[in-house]
Amino acid sequence: MPALDELIRNHRPGYSLDQAFYTDPEIYELELKRIVYRNWILAGHISELPQPGDFKVVNIARESAIIVRGQDGELRAFANVCRHRGSLVCLEAHGNTRKFSCPYHGWVYGLDGELQAARDMPADFDKAAHGLKPVSLDVIHGLMFICFTAEPPSLDGCKRDLAAPMAMFDFPNLKVAAHRSYPIPANWKLCIENYQECYHCATAHPEYARMHTLTLDLDKRARMRAELRKRMPACGVDDYDVHFIDTAARPGEMGYGYSRSSLFRDYKTGSEDGEPVAPLLGKFTAYDGGASDFSFGAFSFLLAYSDHVVAYVFTPVDQHNSTCEIYWLVRGDAEEGRDYDVDRLTWLWHITTLADKEIITNNARGVQSTYYEPGPFARMEQPERVYTEWLLQELQRP
Ligand code: FES
Ligand SMILES: [Fe+2]
């Protein structure tokens, strides 16, 4: 295998990545260190952990974190790794507890991570020095993010510039109506590359293509967006365009972006029949027939319709396996059965994600072939091109 700098030097701008980026174990180790563990990743919404003692476990590659609300109401995150001999401490995916007892030898940790009890240890054993190690956690207008480094990128710009668009949807007061996890037998980059482009949508997603105009060429899309902009004020919707994504991120900051695009006529939201699936969000007074794209760093993407939000998180399990987590968010006071039906709410992105899983899996098979060589991106794949350049830039960072 050629050295990494040679691979990066040989990368042809506008072409997909060399095979080694999908298959070489050393590159995967570098990716974990320089990209995956160094960036903020969406870990859910604060409404999942309303009470003291509520917790959830988030697994990303070889790391596992416990996010827990303390007795003081604060959210904290800890490495799910016992300070005795390293066992996972919490084996449940979520729940409510007063303490975490390690299943191996029974060391007991409080909700603040402090070691409370360790049976039969010598008299001079320093319990205070053996608490669970903290993991970086921050909340962006209700969305929880974690990062497995003590010096994560700054979220200041993101919090500031996305405050107004997020306020429109009242993000802090949303709730998770459904949460599903899709295992994908493919390298994590193939999953995110797929999410970056809609060149495949017309062929792979007939249901999506029926309602979303991202499948159109750029001129037609711009015309539909101009019409959407005229409809927005009467629906209580403001127009924002924020673009600090990937290579356009400010130095030291997590990248982020926001834009709203039009759905086809007769579609109020992303549902099977185009009709509402939940109560209008936040400041919306009517359906403008639009859908907003948010991006938060390199792993987390949101699609915000007028009445619900769909959040996607793509993360590696190992080099050849990934997870796509999807959260469907609705207004916090919406009641299941009365205001929304989970099957109707999740219909579009459940079938679309299953279709994506299939095409990504086929892609993963093909890029491992001796016949694979990097191929040229289409015009509609420009975001993927930028994303690829960002990856290479981050891989070279010491
Ligand atoms: S490894 Fe946790 S108590 Fe021993
Ligand atoms: Fe897709």
Side-chain angles (χ1 to χ4, degrees), residues 29-41 147 188-189 298-299 387 390-396:
E29 289 306 311
L30 264 186
E31 286 174 347
L32 290 184
K33 244 188 262 158
R34 297 189 175 169
I35 300 176
V36 179
Y37 296 155
R38 207 191 245 178
N39 280 276
W40 290 103
I41 298 179
C147 181
W188 63 280
K189 297 189 295 304
F299 300 87
Y387 173 75
W390 178 82
L391 280 168
L392 298 179
Q393 168 193 303
E394 296 302 296
L395 266 180
Q396 293 173 90

Side-chain angles (χ1 to χ4, degrees), residues 10 23 31 53 96 99 132 135 163 265 275 392:
N10 290 341
T23 55
E31 286 174 347
N96 181 280
K99 55 189 170 42
L132 294 176
V135 167
R265 210 185 319 234
E275 289 303 306
L392 298 179

Side-chain angles (χ1 to χ4, degrees), residues 114-242:
E114 273 177 32
L115 179 61
Q116 292 179 341
R119 222 166 12 94
D120 194 34
M121 292 300 286
D124 60 351
F125 170 63
D126 183 5
K127 280 207 298 232
H130 291 84
L132 294 176
K133 291 189 179 172
V135 167
S136 299
L137 171 85
D138 209 335
V139 175
I140 305 177
H141 308 294
L143 298 174
M144 302 187 289
F145 286 80
I146 56 168
C147 181
F148 292 99
T149 163
E151 286 172 26
S154 162
L155 295 175
D156 294 349
C158 174
K159 286 180 181 172
R160 182 188 63 235
D161 295 346
L162 294 185
M166 290 183 81
M168 231 160 43
F169 298 89
D170 195 17
F171 266 87
N173 293 308
L174 298 181
K175 73 165 187 185
V176 177
H179 173 208
R180 289 184 199 153
S181 189
Y182 300 81
I184 305 180
N187 180 269
W188 63 280
K189 297 189 295 304
L190 292 172
C191 303
I192 300 179
E193 286 170 25
N194 175 264
Y195 191 83
Q196 298 280 332
E197 51 94 357
C198 214
Y199 190 38
H200 72 276
C201 296
T203 39
H205 305 311
E207 304 84 2
Y208 172 91
R210 215 159 73 202
M211 52 192 93
H212 278 266
T213 57
L214 283 185
T215 47
L216 296 176
D217 69 50
L218 298 175
D219 299 338
K220 279 196 206 129
R221 239 160 77 188
R223 270 205 303 281
M224 295 216 44
R225 197 180 126 65
E227 283 171 31
L228 169 70
R229 285 186 61 173
K230 284 189 222 147
R231 296 195 299 271
M232 280 161 55
C235 302
V237 190
D238 293 318
D239 195 20
Y240 302 96
D241 203 356
V242 181

Side-chain angles (χ1 to χ4, degrees), residues 23-333:
T23 55
D24 178 18
E26 280 176 38
I27 293 186
Y28 178 66
E29 289 306 311
L30 264 186
E31 286 174 347
L32 290 184
K33 244 188 262 158
R34 297 189 175 169
I35 300 176
V36 179
Y37 296 155
R38 207 191 245 178
N39 280 276
W40 290 103
I41 298 179
L42 180 67
H45 187 267
I46 50 170
S47 61
E48 292 174 83
L49 309 174
Q51 302 299 332
D54 285 348
F55 70 86
K56 73 182 285 190
V57 168
V58 180
N59 298 311
I60 293 167
R62 289 195 294 266
E63 299 300 348
S64 180
I66 307 171
I67 305 178
V68 57
R69 195 177 288 279
Q71 294 300 349
D72 57 359
E74 287 297 309
L75 285 169
R76 294 182 183 83
F78 300 104
N80 188 10
V81 178
C82 185
R83 294 297 306 279
H84 175 221
R85 280 176 42 214
S87 169
L88 290 177
V89 173
C90 182
L91 304 181
E92 285 160 85
H94 53 85
N96 181 280
T97 189
R98 293 206 336 266
K99 55 189 170 42
F100 295 102
S101 301
C102 179
Y104 201 169
H105 312 93
W107 282 24
V108 177
Y109 301 91
L111 301 181
D112 55 4
E114 273 177 32
L115 179 61
Q116 292 179 341
R119 222 166 12 94
D120 194 34
M121 292 300 286
D124 60 351
F125 170 63
D126 183 5
K127 280 207 298 232
H130 291 84
L132 294 176
K133 291 189 179 172
V135 167
S136 299
L137 171 85
D138 209 335
V139 175
I140 305 177
H141 308 294
L143 298 174
M144 302 187 289
F145 286 80
I146 56 168
C147 181
F148 292 99
T149 163
E151 286 172 26
S154 162
L155 295 175
D156 294 349
C158 174
K159 286 180 181 172
R160 182 188 63 235
D161 295 346
L162 294 185
M166 290 183 81
M168 231 160 43
F169 298 89
D170 195 17
F171 266 87
N173 293 308
L174 298 181
K175 73 165 187 185
V176 177
H179 173 208
R180 289 184 199 153
S181 189
Y182 300 81
I184 305 180
N187 180 269
W188 63 280
K189 297 189 295 304
L190 292 172
C191 303
I192 300 179
E193 286 170 25
N194 175 264
Y195 191 83
Q196 298 280 332
E197 51 94 357
C198 214
Y199 190 38
H200 72 276
C201 296
T203 39
H205 305 311
E207 304 84 2
Y208 172 91
R210 215 159 73 202
M211 52 192 93
H212 278 266
T213 57
L214 283 185
T215 47
L216 296 176
D217 69 50
L218 298 175
D219 299 338
K220 279 196 206 129
R221 239 160 77 188
R223 270 205 303 281
M224 295 216 44
R225 197 180 126 65
E227 283 171 31
L228 169 70
R229 285 186 61 173
K230 284 189 222 147
R231 296 195 299 271
M232 280 161 55
C235 302
V237 190
D238 293 318
D239 195 20
Y240 302 96
D241 203 356
V242 181
H243 194 95
F244 295 99
I245 298 169
D246 297 332
T247 50
R250 297 190 193 89
E253 287 208 356
M254 179 183 81
Y256 52 94
Y258 173 86
S259 64
R260 190 160 179 83
S261 58
S262 180
L263 300 171
F264 283 114
R265 210 185 319 234
D266 300 334
Y267 280 90
K268 296 188 176 90
T269 187
S271 66
E272 188 166 10
D273 56 4
E275 289 303 306
V277 286
L280 282 169
L281 299 176
K283 296 180 180 165
F284 283 72
T285 54
Y287 286 84
D288 67 342
S292 298
D293 278 288
F294 284 92
S295 66
F296 295 88
F299 300 87
S300 321
F301 310 93
L302 271 66
L303 183 55
Y305 296 102
S306 303
D307 58 6
H308 69 287
V309 176
V310 191
Y312 311 81
V313 194
F314 302 95
T315 52
V317 173
D318 58 36
Q319 189 167 27
H320 299 291
N321 290 284
S322 307
T323 304
C324 169
E325 300 269 349
I326 304 189
Y327 300 86
W328 284 266
L329 300 152
V330 296
R331 238 168 67 174
D333 61 0

